[in-house]
Amino acid sequence: MTKPFTPNDLVRYIYREMTEGEQELLMQALHSDDSLMQEYLDLLSTIENLNQVTLKPSEKVVKAIKSLAHSTGLQKV
């Protein structure tokens, strides 16, 4: 009987947080289970997309923070 792998296991595999034994079992499962392989590929795609996201606060938010900092006497950044 093979171990049922979870999405959390796939994330651990992607980020190399598994033991060698766990990695071997997961690789075997990926080769034999098409739905697990698809889930793995979907996670890789999601991680790649998240790595490309650049977050930038709006000018309105920056001004509000500066205003609050000024009103409380905090030093300029």
Side-chain angles (χ1 to χ4, degrees), residues 8-25:
N8 194 35
D9 291 323
L10 293 172
V11 171
R12 289 178 52 235
Y13 176 73
I14 291 168
Y15 286 105
R16 298 184 178 119
E17 296 175 349
M18 286 186 152
T19 65
E20 286 184 35
E22 288 175 312
Q23 288 178 27
E24 182 63 33
L25 290 173

Side-chain angles (χ1 to χ4, degrees), residues 44-68:
L44 283 178
S45 177
T46 300
I47 289 168
E48 183 179 322
N49 289 336
L50 285 172
N51 288 337
Q52 294 175 9
V53 171
T54 303
L55 300 176
K56 183 177 178 185
S58 69
E59 188 62 32
K60 181 179 176 181
V61 169
V62 172
K63 285 181 180 179
I65 292 170
K66 286 181 176 180
S67 176
L68 179 62

Side-chain angles (χ1 to χ4, degrees), residues 5 10 13 18 20-33 36-37 40:
F5 288 98
L10 293 172
Y13 176 73
M18 286 186 152
E20 286 184 35
E22 288 175 312
Q23 288 178 27
E24 182 63 33
L25 290 173
L26 181 59
M27 285 190 293
Q28 290 172 9
L30 286 170
H31 289 293
S32 63
D33 184 339
L36 185 64
M37 177 59 86
Y40 170 69

